Amino acid sequence: MICLRRTHLFLLFCVSLIWLCSSSDSLQDNFLECFNSTSYSKHSIPVSEVVFTNESASFSSLFRLSIRNLRFLTTTLPKPLFLVTPFHESHVQAAIVCAREKGLQVRVRSGGHDYEGLSYVSSQAPFIVIDLINLRSITIDIEDETASVGTGAALGELYYRIAKKSSIHGFPAGSCPTVGVGGHISGGGFGTLFRKYGLAADNVIDAKIIDFNGRIMDRSSMGEDLFWAIRGGGGASFGVILSWKLKLVSVPSIVTVFNVQRTLEQGATHLFQKWQNISHKLDQDIFLHVTTKVVTDFPSKKTIRLSFTSLFLGPIERLIPIMKTRFSELGLKRSDCIEMSWIQSVLFFADFSIDTPLEVLMERSSPQISDAFFTAKSDYVISPISQKGLEGLWKKLLEEEKSELILTPYGGKMSQISESQTPFPHREGRIFGIQYLATWDNANETEKHLSWIREVYAYMKPYVSKSPRAAYLNYRDLDLGRNYGRNTSYEEAKVWGLKYFSDNFERLVRVKTKVDPSNFFWNEQSIPLLYHYEDDTRITKVHSGLDFEIVQER
Ligand SMILES: Cc1cc2nc3c(=O)[nH]c(=O)nc-3n(C[C@H](O)[C@H](O)[C@H](O)COP(=O)(O)OP(=O)(O)OC[C@H]3O[C@@H](n4cnc5c(N)ncnc54)[C@H](O)[C@@H]3O)c2cc1C
Ligand SMILES: *[C@@H]1O[C@H](CO)[C@@H](O)[C@H](O)[C@H]1NC(C)=O
Ligand SMILES: *[C@@H]1O[C@H](CO)[C@@H](O)[C@H](O)[C@H]1NC(C)=O
Ligand SMILES: *[C@@H]1O[C@H](CO)[C@@H](O)[C@H](O)[C@H]1NC(C)=O
Ligand SMILES: *[C@@H]1O[C@H](CO)[C@@H](O)[C@H](O)[C@H]1NC(C)=O
Ligand SMILES: *[C@@H]1O[C@H](CO)[C@@H](O)[C@H](O)[C@H]1NC(C)=O
């Protein structure tokens, strides 16, 4: 249904005008007062401990705490007017209600790892940041095999809490302990267990979210459409997710890891070609990814070193014969393998020694990543990259001092889940995902490295997925396209939307239109609405061919 009937228009206007109306009869003339006096926030906690203006002494350190990419610390983009650090759900409600009332935008920050800093900088001021750092309680229920996790928690805290309760349970999510569960799980989330258990988002059984009205909903009250959308579509377009209920998975008490490294001179290209043929078809107990680094080999020749790093869900005895049959070229030896607990493998993949006290997983920032400038892009590979393609890629990597690739094999459970099960569409038929990365230390070099990564991306076009050339939302990339304003149309947004979501994009747009009809939760890559605004009150265009009836449900 294309047409927009009067009744629909009326409903829309009511929704989008609420904040205009209430701001005109306002008794409060600033956000702080509103926040303090909003009925939701009647707590003993003084507002000065929850809301920090950009002029306050604690602002900088709090703001800095969850910034993982220095590009967005030194950016000229506007910073928030306020940092709100809720201790209670009602603080989140008050922040949303007052931001709407005062015409402020909202950004939500969990772990702050967004590749484009969208959780704490914005091209459109004024805005506030709701930083969930204090909403991070974790409850593990081993009998039920579930975890309830506040979205301010990081993956390391979740893994730590699970390991404290059980040595045979785990959760399939990313490898970096400081990544926040808010962004990570709502954008998909993959890690060493995903060939066996799917994405983090595939293992969510319930969630709590606050919408633009400050209403708190769980799975049953939000409905299956919104519950679908926030498991891979990114949370930020829809509201503030407060917590997840997650299904824990089984891990054996003994797992095995290995890391076999070869330089180009040691035949890495041939090994990689074999890897491309088999890594996605291996038993789903084996996760075997490849990372690359530029190294200086003896005698001082720059080369690329490939690391074949694996987590196997079982003992060495069972791994060796499988590797012998499937990937004998790697020449895996018993002495390359180490048996350990699953939680030690978490340390291993986070680049800690496996004897490190587990408490290190509770730390919010890690020295390896917190002081770097970086940029990244992603691709999916559908058929093996040719010898010529690889040689050109290595050459590109060598142009850059700190270039890296992370090559992640798919298959296993990922191929058994349909592309529309969640918004994350990269399922069957993907051999592996690529992440290209460049890191550097000086702000004045940024442009150079951004150009480099764009060149690599252009170079790789013939070798990766096409129409659309797919990308992973959690490796957010504004070069793919962006919203310049609140009224970016569905057609315009398809440029990047189809890359992240493929055919799921349209359903995301419908859900967005239904749950956030005034586009309050806007950002540079938020899901657009089915219609767009000329100003705050006038709809100028409804996208043809799309059923608009859905809005009537509000
Ligand atoms: C060092 C590093 C390692 C990584 N490793 C992996 C990996 O192994 N596997 C993988 O899949 N990904 C990985 N990622 C990518 C990571 O999953 C994404 O960057 C993810 O979005 C980060 O989530 P966050 O909460 O830390 O980030 P944030 O910057 O806080 O949030 C990211 C986005 O989600 C939104 N958001 C955050 N919390 C909420 C909430 N509660 N409600 C609504 N919206 C919310 C933000 O507004 C923002 O748009 C890695 C990233 C880095 C920097
Ligand atoms: C917040 O509200 C309380 C109770 O109404 C009041 O006593 C206090 O002074 C207010 N604080 C600020 C910072 O406005
Ligand atoms: C605080 O934010 C306002 C509005 O964006 C800006 O004018 C002011 O310069 C900021 N102050 C600081 C210290 O950054
Ligand atoms: C990979 O598979 C292709 C096609 O089956 C084959 O031609 C090629 O020799 C294989 N490469 C390696 C290194 O095994
Ligand atoms: C960039 O900054 C570094 C240190 O801050 C300085 O040493 C270097 O000369 C600068 N390079 C350029 C090209 O300005
Ligand atoms: C909406 O988009 C049109 C063209 O795409 C632009 O001219 C207009 O300024 C935009 N309005 C707002 C409020 O962003």
Side-chain angles (χ1 to χ4, degrees), residues 33 36 42 47:
E33 259 178 46
N36 193 37
K42 292 280 182 263
V47 65

Side-chain angles (χ1 to χ4, degrees), residues 158-364:
L158 172 62
Y159 298 153
Y160 175 85
R161 294 286 173 212
I162 295 171
K164 283 275 144 179
K165 283 272 175 85
S166 163
S167 57
I168 54 163
H169 287 86
F171 187 72
S175 309
C176 170
T178 55
V179 164
V181 302
H184 184 71
I185 300 181
S186 66
F190 70 80
T192 56
L193 296 177
F194 92 129
R195 297 192 66 252
K196 177 141 181 156
Y197 293 113
L199 303 172
D202 296 330
N203 292 279
V204 173
I205 48 187
D206 207 335
K208 248 198 213 178
I209 188 170
I210 303 196
D211 73 1
F212 73 105
N213 271 323
R215 186 171 50 148
I216 300 184
M217 300 175 288
D218 65 4
R219 180 174 183 169
S220 73
S221 49
M222 80 177 85
E224 288 301 303
D225 270 342
L226 180 54
F227 185 62
W228 172 85
I230 59 173
R231 287 173 297 150
S237 298
F238 305 99
V240 180
I241 300 160
L242 293 169
S243 61
W244 301 109
K245 188 164 181 196
L246 308 172
K247 174 101 196 68
L248 300 180
V249 301
S250 312
V251 293
S253 53
I254 302 243
V255 304
T256 302
V257 307
F258 68 78
N259 177 18
V260 173
Q261 302 183 328
R262 295 283 186 275
T263 61
L264 297 184
E265 288 68 26
Q266 296 166 333
T269 306
H270 181 71
L271 282 184
F272 187 77
Q273 282 177 317
K274 177 70 188 196
W275 177 87
Q276 296 189 96
N277 281 3
I278 56 101
S279 61
H280 61 297
K281 297 184 200 147
L282 289 172
D283 185 308
Q284 55 190 30
D285 283 342
I286 305 182
F287 171 83
L288 172 53
H289 79 165
V290 177
T291 55
T292 75
K293 239 187 169 61
V294 177
V295 295
T296 304
D297 206 3
F298 181 81
S300 80
K301 179 179 185 297
K302 250 171 93 178
T303 186
I304 312 275
R305 188 182 68 203
L306 272 60
S307 298
F308 294 81
T309 315
S310 178
L311 170 69
F312 174 64
L313 296 173
I316 298 180
E317 271 72 28
R318 200 152 72 78
L319 173 64
I320 298 276
I322 301 178
M323 291 301 290
K324 229 175 214 135
T325 322
R326 305 301 305 275
F327 198 2
S328 60
E329 294 83 346
L330 192 63
L332 185 72
K333 297 189 298 286
R334 243 198 113 80
S335 58
D336 295 321
C337 302
I338 316 168
E339 287 182 341
M340 59 183 70
S341 63
W342 171 73
I343 196 70
Q344 285 179 304
S345 80
V346 169
L347 292 174
F348 178 84
F349 275 90
D351 281 337
F352 292 110
S353 139
I354 61 168
D355 304 323
T356 313
L358 294 183
E359 281 64 30
V360 73
L361 297 173
M362 302 291 279
E363 284 168 19
R364 293 295 295 206

Side-chain angles (χ1 to χ4, degrees), residues 450-469:
L450 295 184
S451 313
W452 175 81
I453 205 157
R454 286 170 189 149
E455 283 169 27
V456 178
Y457 193 70
Y459 168 79
M460 287 301 286
K461 190 173 176 202
Y463 306 107
V464 297
S465 65
K466 296 173 183 60
S467 42
R469 181 172 180 179

Side-chain angles (χ1 to χ4, degrees), residues 15 18 40 93 96-97 100 210-216 515-516 520-521 554:
V15 171
I18 287 170
Y40 294 128
Q93 293 175 305
I96 290 173
V97 167
R100 280 180 70 208
I210 303 196
D211 73 1
F212 73 105
N213 271 323
R215 186 171 50 148
I216 300 184
V515 306
D516 187 30
F520 176 67
F521 291 106
R554 283 216 71 82

